[in-house]
Amino acid sequence: MKFAICAIVLCGLVAPNFAKVFSPTEFGNVMLANGIPKGQIETWKCIAKWESSYNTAAHNTASGDHGIFQINERWWCSPPGKGCGMTCNSLRDADITNDIKCAKIIYEEHQRLTGNGF
């Protein structure tokens, strides 16, 4: 019995950061806290709504898209893409800090190439 209790407690301590579905307001607040300009928040909210319904666990196996922004594995997350320097699995947990970091990298690259990051 003691072993079972210890195992349950230990699993709780090392449990992964499971996925989360954000509310639009909560998502906007997290974006602001991570340096997204206030004037862009509604656009980012629209992207997250239509790409994943604000669900961090979203994964389109047909296209290879991951997370709340549906970031593509071909170029941006590994394996195989490496543009953002992170694993694709890390884009599907409740912590969207790295998703925002990668989305900023993608935005900046598109801004550089086309003049419009979106």
Side-chain angles (χ1 to χ4, degrees):
M1 183 67 166
K2 285 183 181 180
F3 176 76
I5 293 171
C6 288
I8 291 169
V9 170
L10 182 59
C11 287
L13 294 174
V14 296
N17 191 2
F18 293 111
K20 177 178 180 159
V21 177
F22 282 84
S23 73
T25 301
E26 182 182 18
F27 177 77
N29 290 337
V30 172
M31 295 297 286
L32 278 172
N34 280 275
I36 299 298
K38 189 174 183 176
Q40 292 182 0
I41 296 297
E42 290 303 315
T43 302
W44 287 106
K45 285 168 68 173
C46 184
I47 292 168
K49 176 183 177 184
W50 293 106
E51 289 294 336
S52 67
S53 298
Y54 299 107
N55 184 352
T56 66
H59 181 205
N60 184 327
T61 56
S63 65
D65 295 335
H66 300 265
I68 200 162
F69 295 116
Q70 289 294 274
I71 293 171
N72 192 269
E73 65 190 29
R74 183 172 183 195
W75 308 107
W76 303 108
C77 59
S78 64
K82 293 183 170 76
C84 288
M86 59 190 66
T87 67
C88 297
N89 286 344
S90 71
L91 298 173
R92 296 193 314 264
D93 62 16
D95 179 4
I96 64 169
T97 305
N98 58 344
D99 303 60
I100 296 168
K101 178 182 174 186
C102 188
K104 284 179 179 179
I105 290 169
I106 295 167
Y107 175 87
E108 290 166 5
E109 181 66 7
H110 284 266
Q111 184 69 28
R112 183 183 70 77
L113 293 172
T114 68
N116 181 354
F118 294 113

